[in-house]
């Protein structure tokens, strides 16, 4: 018995050690970004546009507004298509059509985001003749769609088969069982997948460099180059001005806090019983 207790204690120690080592980079990065960027956070940082290079002050209000616009359009485009694809693969996913759709979704999920940006650049920016927020939103939607489709499929599959059979046994058509029973039951899990997808695309930089490019002012329309927080952080960090570099750290801190908040909210949703 003592030998078994020793092995159990040793294995628990090893598992906890590697768990701590796996979480350590996250805490180190978060602490360092907080240390470097917290001092630049103030009211002006969130309400003003960038000052000309060499002048202190300014903020990222234009980048926040542009990011909200493009991510909002991406949600409108990607969420319906992603949910429909996930629902089809879960409830009707049989045969060659489902096989090729599932393979396409899996392949699209693994495509690097910069490749998506180059594709949208060739498809839209080159043909239109200029960068735009619409192109950036479409690139973000392309990244979100397969993620939502695959994760929502798994959420729909978690609904017990007996629930489906009970609805069909009552004489309900298949579409009513899907709409009134399966979808409400998996709603929390589906919302979780959407939140994780939003958190992922909010920090994407490479696709927006090829599509939305950036803007030092407020954009009046998504048909023109549009500022975004990841691109502005990238540009500020690459500049040779100390004040802009401090603002880059502050922008990175805003992104980290946003992603952390979304993930914590997701964990709280998952803890509740579906």
């Amino acid at each position: 018995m003592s030998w078994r207790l020793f092995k159990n204690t040793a294995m628990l120690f090893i598992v906890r050690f590697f768990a701590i080592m796996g979480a350590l980079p996250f805490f180190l990065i978060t602490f360092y970004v907080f240390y470097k960027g917290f001092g630049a956070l103030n009211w002006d940082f969130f309400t003003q546009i960038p000052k000309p290079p060499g002048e202190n002050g300014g903020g990222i209000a234009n980048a926040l507004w542009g990011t909200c616009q493009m991510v909002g359009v991406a949600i409108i485009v990607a969420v319906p298509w992603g949910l429909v694809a996930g629902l089809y693969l879960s409830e009707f996913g049989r045969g060659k059509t489902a096989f090729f759709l599932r393979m396409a979704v899996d392949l699209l999920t693994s495509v690097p985001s910069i490749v998506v940006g180059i594709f949208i650049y060739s498809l839209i920016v080159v043909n239109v003749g200029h960068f735009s927020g619409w192109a950036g939103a479409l690139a973000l939607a392309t990244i979100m769609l397969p993620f939502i489709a695959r994760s929502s499929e798994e959420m729909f599959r978690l609904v017990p088969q007996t629930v489906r059979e009970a609805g069909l046994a009552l004489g309900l058509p298949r579409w009513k069982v899907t709409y009134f029973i399966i979808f409400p039951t998996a709603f929390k899990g589906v919302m979780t997948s959407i939140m994780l997808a939003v958190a992922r695309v909010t920090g994407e930089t490479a696709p927006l460099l090829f599509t939305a490019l950036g803007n030092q002012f407020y954009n009046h329309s998504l048909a023109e180059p549009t500022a975004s927080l990841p691109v502005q952080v990238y540009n500020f960090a690459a500049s040779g001005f100390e004040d802009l570099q401090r603002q880059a750290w502050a922008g990175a801190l805003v992104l980290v806090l946003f992603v952390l908040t979304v993930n914590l909210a997701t964990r709280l949703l998952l803890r509740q019983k579906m």
Side-chain angles (χ1 to χ4, degrees), residues 218-241:
Y218 284 107
N219 60 294
H220 301 290
S221 170
L222 286 178
E224 61 188 29
T226 304
S228 61
L229 186 54
V231 173
Q232 194 146 311
V233 169
Y234 171 79
N235 292 332
F236 283 4
S239 69
F241 298 96

Side-chain angles (χ1 to χ4, degrees), residues 1 14 31 65 68 121 181 245:
M1 180 64 67
I14 294 173
F31 173 78
W65 173 240
C68 291
Y121 172 82
I181 298 178
Q245 292 177 354

Side-chain angles (χ1 to χ4, degrees), residues 123-136:
L123 183 66
I124 295 180
V125 176
V126 172
N127 293 321
V128 174
H130 60 84
F131 299 93
S132 67
W134 293 115

Side-chain angles (χ1 to χ4, degrees), residues 40-237:
L41 294 179
N42 52 53
W43 180 250
D44 291 340
F45 180 75
F46 293 100
T47 58
Q48 294 185 5
I49 63 175
K51 293 288 183 66
E55 295 186 19
N56 293 334
I60 60 169
N62 61 324
L64 291 175
W65 173 240
T67 296
C68 291
Q69 285 181 299
M70 289 188 287
V71 172
V73 173
I75 292 174
I76 295 173
V77 173
V79 169
W81 288 100
L83 292 182
V84 168
L87 195 60
Y88 172 79
L89 291 174
S90 173
E91 303 303 315
F92 311 98
R94 307 291 185 273
K96 293 182 179 180
T97 302
F99 171 79
F100 286 111
L101 177 59
R102 187 175 285 108
M103 184 178 65
V105 169
D106 290 339
L107 290 175
L108 192 58
T109 304
S110 61
V111 171
S113 60
I114 190 171
V115 176
V116 175
I118 295 174
F119 171 73
I120 300 299
Y121 172 82
S122 303
L123 183 66
I124 295 180
V125 176
V126 172
N127 293 321
V128 174
H130 60 84
F131 299 93
S132 67
W134 293 115
L138 183 57
L140 297 182
T142 305
I143 298 172
M144 287 180 64
L145 194 151
F147 185 87
I148 294 175
R150 208 68 175 95
S151 55
S152 62
E153 178 192 358
E154 297 302 324
M155 293 298 106
F156 290 131
R157 286 182 178 274
L158 290 178
V159 179
Q161 185 64 26
T162 54
V163 174
R164 298 175 174 85
E165 294 173 351
L168 294 173
L170 293 173
L172 294 176
R174 186 63 181 269
W175 71 269
K176 284 190 176 182
V177 173
T178 302
Y179 184 77
F180 290 106
I181 298 178
I182 297 175
F183 191 83
T185 305
F187 179 75
K188 290 181 180 179
V190 170
M191 287 302 300
T192 298
S193 65
I194 294 173
M195 293 168 62
L196 292 175
V198 171
R200 177 186 175 184
V201 301
T202 301
E204 289 289 348
T205 306
L208 299 181
L209 283 172
F210 287 95
T211 53
L213 187 62
N215 194 338
Q216 290 296 101
F217 307 96
Y218 284 107
N219 60 294
H220 301 290
S221 170
L222 286 178
E224 61 188 29
T226 304
S228 61
L229 186 54
V231 173
Q232 194 146 311
V233 169
Y234 171 79
N235 292 332
F236 283 4

